């Protein structure tokens, strides 16, 4: 398969950027929801555990909706209302769910996507006949970043997981929707989110791991992404490589782990049809795609193998700005179009 990397595409990219910028003038930065049901894809091969086998091969055809799972880069922090999922939706004409949560580690992203569900232990060991019960999450997984709620199912009972503290490891409660019989909950029972189930058959983009290196490491990122891919019921998935910014250039611990270990592993496992090295493209071709000349700072960044400052939010280490998110979406769009997703 031929990658879309050359400067021969710059003229087309500039047209896409202008089009997307105009269309997004009224966007607020939120994700787009689905306009309708997705036709069921061919069933995935199952393992003995009943989970789908690891996906392989090429994408299976057109998609009618997309889900973008990730952290603050997917959420669009630094973009002043521009997010790559929004721009991708405008370019492709396909609704895109924005599943980006700022500050979230790969374990939390995988828990929301259902590939590695949050494991809950109920106080007293059961769900009461009505109302809620306090629960704790195994391994300190943060499945709700701040206060809020997440609908889903625990032990076959549908309800909402509610977090009432803004601290990372705050208090969680599971509250059932309807009264019923008291139900025993074994320790570490999986909580399956509605949103993960909803987008299991969609075209899926995974961009996870930027926040792991403060607490976990490269192995955790690779493991959680593998779990997310394994859960999917489609061959239409794309894994994006990690990116970097200020103080994370060649020779730094972050660079060695994120670029040297994680991206190398992801490329080997999912390339070339399911992996995209967005960082390298942003460094080599991003400025030209945005119609910009490299500043002296950009040249310094490029020499250190860092995404150029002109494509990044000046207030943050690694977030992109509106131009960065826009050209990134165009690059992803071209790749997925070439793969036959739309």
């Amino acid at each position: 398969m031929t990658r879309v990397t050359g400067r021969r595409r710059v003229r087309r990219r500039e047209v896409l950027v202008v089009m997307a910028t105009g269309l997004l003038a009224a966007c607020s930065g939120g994700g787009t929801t689905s306009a309708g049901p997705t036709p069921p894809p061919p069933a995935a091969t199952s393992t003995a555990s009943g989970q789908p086998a690891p996906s392989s091969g090429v994408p299976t055809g057109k998609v009618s909706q997309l889900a973008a799972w990730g952290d603050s880069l997917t959420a669009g922090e630094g973009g002043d209302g521009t997010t790559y999922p929004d721009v991708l939706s405008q370019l492709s004409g396909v609704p895109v769910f924005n599943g980006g949560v700022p500050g979230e580690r790969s374990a939390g992203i995988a828990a929301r996507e259902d590939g590695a569900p949050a494991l809950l232990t109920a106080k007293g060991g059961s769900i009461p006949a009505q109302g809620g019960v306090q629960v704790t999450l195994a391994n300190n997984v943060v499945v709700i970043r701040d206060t809020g709620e997440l609908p889903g199912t625990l032990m076959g009972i549908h309800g909402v997981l509610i977090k009432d503290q803004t601290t990372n490891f705050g208090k969680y409660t599971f509250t059932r929707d309807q009264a019923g019989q008291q139900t025993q909950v074994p320790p570490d029972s999986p909580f399956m989110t509605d949103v993960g189930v909803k987008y299991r058959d969609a075209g899926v983009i995974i961009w996870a791991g930027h926040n792991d290196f403060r607490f976990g490491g490269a192995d955790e990122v690779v493991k959680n992404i593998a779990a997310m891919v394994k859960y999917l019921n489609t061959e239409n998935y794309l894994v994006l490589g990690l990116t970097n910014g200020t103080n994370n250039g060649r020779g730094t611990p972050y660079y060695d782990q994120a670029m040297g270990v994680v991206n190398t592993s992801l490329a080997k496992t999912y390339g070339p049809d399911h992996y995209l090295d967005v960082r390298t493209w942003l460094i080599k071709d991003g400025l030209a795609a945005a119609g910009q000349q490299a500043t002296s700072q950009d040249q310094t960044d490029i020499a250190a193998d860092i995404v150029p400052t002109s494509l990044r939010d000046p207030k943050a280490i690694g977030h992109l700005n509106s131009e960065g998110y826009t050209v990134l979406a165009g690059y992803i769009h071209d790749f997925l179009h070439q793969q036959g997703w739309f």
Side-chain angles (χ1 to χ4, degrees):
M1 185 194 70
T2 303
R3 294 274 184 161
V4 184
T5 56
R7 291 181 180 271
R8 61 186 176 82
R9 298 197 67 103
V10 168
R11 189 174 300 278
R12 182 185 175 204
R13 173 70 64 256
E14 291 172 353
V15 173
L16 289 173
V17 169
V18 171
M19 179 183 73
T21 302
L23 288 171
L24 287 173
C27 284
S28 62
T32 308
T33 56
S34 171
T38 306
T45 303
S46 297
T47 64
S49 65
Q51 290 290 334
S55 298
S56 60
V58 297
T60 53
K62 307 294 183 181
V63 299
S64 61
Q65 60 180 350
L66 293 169
W69 296 102
D71 49 40
S72 55
L73 284 157
T74 298
E77 288 223 354
D80 293 326
T82 299
T83 73
Y84 97 76
D86 278 338
V87 181
L88 179 59
S89 179
Q90 297 289 348
L91 294 176
S92 65
V94 174
V96 182
F97 164 71
N98 189 330
V101 175
E104 197 163 61
R105 293 165 59 186
S106 61
I109 299 168
R112 288 188 295 110
E113 186 258 5
D114 284 342
L119 302 178
L120 274 53
T121 298
K123 186 176 182 179
S126 66
I127 300 171
Q130 60 182 357
V133 59
Q134 185 175 338
V135 295
T136 56
L137 280 64
N139 303 318
N140 288 326
V141 171
V142 180
V143 71
I144 301 174
R145 181 66 183 170
D146 295 311
T147 56
E149 60 183 50
L150 190 61
T153 303
L154 176 64
M155 292 301 296
I157 297 175
H158 191 272
V160 290
L161 185 65
I162 301 170
K163 185 180 180 184
D164 63 2
Q165 296 178 13
T166 57
T167 57
N168 276 353
F169 310 118
K171 180 181 177 182
Y172 288 86
T173 302
F174 176 77
T175 301
R176 62 191 304 158
D177 291 340
Q178 298 179 343
Q181 293 183 340
Q182 180 177 345
T183 302
Q184 296 299 306
V185 179
D188 296 341
S189 293
F191 174 76
M192 305 300 291
T193 70
D194 288 357
V195 69
V197 173
K198 179 178 180 179
Y199 292 108
R200 187 180 185 186
D201 296 337
V204 170
I205 302 172
I206 299 170
W207 202 12
H210 297 100
N211 298 304
D212 282 63
F213 303 102
R214 292 173 292 173
F215 306 101
D219 292 343
E220 181 182 7
V221 177
V222 172
K223 178 188 71 174
N224 288 324
I225 290 175
M228 294 176 72
V229 170
K230 185 176 180 180
Y231 174 74
L232 297 175
N233 198 30
T234 177
E235 295 291 350
N236 290 311
Y237 69 89
L238 178 66
V239 177
L240 304 183
L242 301 182
T243 188
N244 62 342
T246 304
N247 300 325
N248 286 329
R250 189 182 290 110
T252 63
Y254 177 89
Y255 185 97
D256 291 343
Q257 287 289 300
M259 278 75 256
V261 179
V262 173
N263 284 0
T264 298
S265 176
L266 297 179
K268 182 178 179 179
T269 303
Y270 304 110
D273 295 307
H274 298 289
Y275 173 76
L276 199 57
D277 184 359
V278 295
R279 187 192 70 90
T280 298
W281 183 85
L282 286 167
I283 293 171
K284 292 184 176 180
D285 297 300
L287 289 173
Q292 298 185 26
Q293 294 292 324
T295 66
S296 59
Q297 181 59 55
D298 292 333
Q299 293 172 350
T300 299
D301 293 336
I302 292 170
D305 208 23
I306 294 172
V307 175
T309 295
S310 293
L311 298 178
R312 292 190 282 115
D313 174 18
K315 302 185 295 296
I317 293 176
H319 298 145
L320 302 180
N321 57 22
S322 59
E323 291 83 4
Y325 287 124
T326 298
V327 296
L328 171 66
Y331 179 50
I332 294 171
H333 170 270
D334 282 358
F335 181 85
L336 296 182
H337 185 270
Q338 186 178 44
Q339 292 288 76
W341 287 33
F342 30 73

